[in-house]
Amino acid sequence: MLPLREVKILRLLSQQDFSGDELAKQLNASRRTIVRDIAAINDEIQTNRIGRITTQNKYHLTTLNPGKLTTLLNTSRDEANEILLRLCIRRTVAMGDLTADMFLSRAQVADYLVELNSDYHDLFHISSRPRTGVTINMKRLTRIDIAADCIFEFPQLLDKVVPEVENTQRVITYLTANPCPYQEWVIDSQWRAQVISAFVCLPPSKTHSSEASTTTLVHQFVQGRADLLASLMAKHESIVQKFSQTADKFQLEAIGQKTLESLFTHFGRECAFPRPLSTLSNFDITRLSAQNPVAFDFAQAVTVELLKTDNRMWMDANFLALYIVQAINQREVKPVKILFLAPRMSLAQINSTIIQQKLHNIVLYTVHSLTDAETAYTKHHFDLAIANVRNDVIEQSSIKFSLTFSAVASDEDIATLEQLVNGQYYHDNIAAMLAPNHFVNVTRADKFLPVLRKGLQSFNDTGLLTDADLVKIVEREEAGNQLILNHISIPHIVTSSVSDYRLFAIKPDRAITVENQEVYLMVIVLVGTSQAEKNTIFSYLYQTLRKYTVMNIRQVQTYQQVIELLRGMMQFDG
């Protein structure tokens, strides 16, 4: 059986290709360790004819037997959750009992305990001591809540840990006699999991009969959840208002009442039946937060405030952010208007069909003469202009045509047009957003915050950055809200001091470490309030910067190299 870290690598590669550096970051391991792990994984999965991992620019998993792969991945997940369920039920379990009951070695159990503590550090801490055993201590929620979610998410574990408990008379009697007091917030299987969890996790009282005392304790737990939910409902108006005020703080003015109510409804469901085990993958979180940092910042701020009220409450800020991302994207769907000059009628029809089939979210306005194109361009606003003609036909035109092709549009032409649609604005305007005097080298500093402060202060001294924006940037980074894309730190704020975007770049004279990874460049992004909901610059940066290697980033030294890097056009040695 593969060790836990190797299983994690396999799980990641089953979702998407990763470079060695990306895997090292995901698993907080060295690049050399990843190389060794990949070799060990390949030996295992090729021997068992499950698949193989190949590499060019990134590691790629080719699956030969999907069934065996699924079994291998699910085994480690189920074992970790089985340990968690056993601890929730008994609180303390002897290490010998865990190894004997689950047929695991002490080293395997220890690995799983490290993983559980890392994944759920906000909820509980599991400790292991000689002669005491393995103990779970809750920080938030209760053991009943965690067990209930475990039973709901992984029902196959119940028979392994507590066989036939759901068919016992006391559980059946309780479920028959007691309808869920918050049934509009949970589904039947969640209510059933909650009741079963309460019965198996609650110890009977020593002063009363076991059945009666346990049933009373189950009542108390259920009533506690019902009271907590009732308290939340009583604060509905004030909580939604708080959501709105926080949205204003982050300049998310167009997030409507419907979205705010959806946030409250989500919180209500989490209050009735907390779902801490249902999480996004680290890869998805990194990708989505890089593309939508303002949405994730807002969600984090809201969650922190909500969770202060009661430690029986739970909310995953990342799921909350998805509501904001969805709302932003729904409002942001504005078609790109393209003026298409196509004098030859037959080709015009063929190319129009190809372009509209291949590209979404565009409006194609087709004209058949240069004169008509000039007239339309003067009267209407177009984001792009393209032409199905030879270059010499449009040499004297006042229109800036971004793409010309003389025959049927090729795959390369479509790919170019897609890039233009997605990134033309930023590609063309990066140099205007990041002027030459917005770049500075910082020497003799090897820590993140001192480098950031020193660079920002130089911009402030020359009147390029306001005092308020300097303070806001530093405070945000001090709070641990770093956004790092491919070894480039991107501090960012929303501010009324700019109308669109303003960028600054700080180049330290040596690598600095942020969140256990080396950073070679800082690109500070000031987002104007009118752009705060769009976040399109972060999507552009994410798509542009992710294609470079670490060696590429290290080579960036000058202002012009930063501009070419951000435009996705830098040529590198070697």
Side-chain angles (χ1 to χ4, degrees), residues 87-106:
L87 289 172
C88 285
I89 290 173
R90 295 172 56 186
R91 186 169 179 266
T92 298
V93 182
M95 176 64 81
D97 289 343
L98 286 175
T99 57
D101 292 343
M102 299 182 63
F103 302 101
L104 297 173
S105 68
R106 285 177 174 268

Side-chain angles (χ1 to χ4, degrees), residues 424-536:
Q424 183 65 42
Y425 175 78
Y426 299 113
H427 181 273
D428 287 348
N429 290 281
I430 281 293
M433 298 174 186
L434 204 165
N437 59 349
H438 286 204
F439 173 82
V440 67
N441 288 287
V442 172
T443 60
R444 297 188 299 278
D446 57 2
K447 293 186 178 180
F448 174 71
L449 286 173
V451 171
L452 178 64
R453 287 195 187 95
K454 190 172 182 180
L456 294 178
Q457 190 61 56
S458 69
F459 300 133
N460 178 258
D461 291 342
T462 54
L464 298 172
L465 184 69
T466 68
D467 292 342
D469 286 343
L470 187 156
V471 171
K472 191 173 182 180
I473 293 167
V474 172
E475 286 182 346
R476 188 184 183 286
E477 297 302 303
E478 284 179 329
N481 297 313
Q482 286 92 5
L483 171 62
I484 300 172
L485 299 179
N486 201 5
H487 301 277
I488 299 174
S489 172
I490 307 183
H492 57 279
I493 60 168
V494 177
T495 175
S496 59
S497 66
V498 300
S499 58
D500 190 8
Y501 297 103
R502 185 178 300 166
L503 275 59
F504 298 89
I506 300 172
K507 173 60 183 175
D509 64 347
R510 67 199 73 182
I512 53 179
T513 301
V514 184
E515 294 186 343
N516 297 319
Q517 61 179 305
E518 291 187 324
V519 166
Y520 304 99
L521 179 69
M522 298 181 191
V523 177
I524 296 91
V525 181
L526 273 59
V527 182
T529 53
S530 63
Q531 303 295 325
E533 295 176 18
K534 299 180 181 179
N535 291 303
T536 49

Side-chain angles (χ1 to χ4, degrees), residues 266-325:
H266 178 80
F267 191 42
R269 288 196 294 265
E270 291 289 322
C271 188
F273 188 93
R275 299 283 309 281
L277 305 188
S278 178
T279 59
L280 297 171
S281 71
N282 288 335
F283 175 75
D284 287 333
I285 293 170
T286 301
R287 176 176 58 85
L288 290 169
S289 62
Q291 295 177 340
N292 305 275
V294 177
F296 278 77
D297 289 349
F298 165 80
Q300 184 63 38
V302 165
T303 301
V304 167
E305 287 300 315
L306 286 172
L307 295 185
K308 286 179 181 178
T309 58
D310 196 307
N311 66 4
R312 293 175 295 169
M313 291 184 176
W314 169 252
M315 174 77 79
D316 187 333
N318 294 319
F319 275 105
L320 208 63
L322 297 185
Y323 287 91
I324 308 303
V325 172

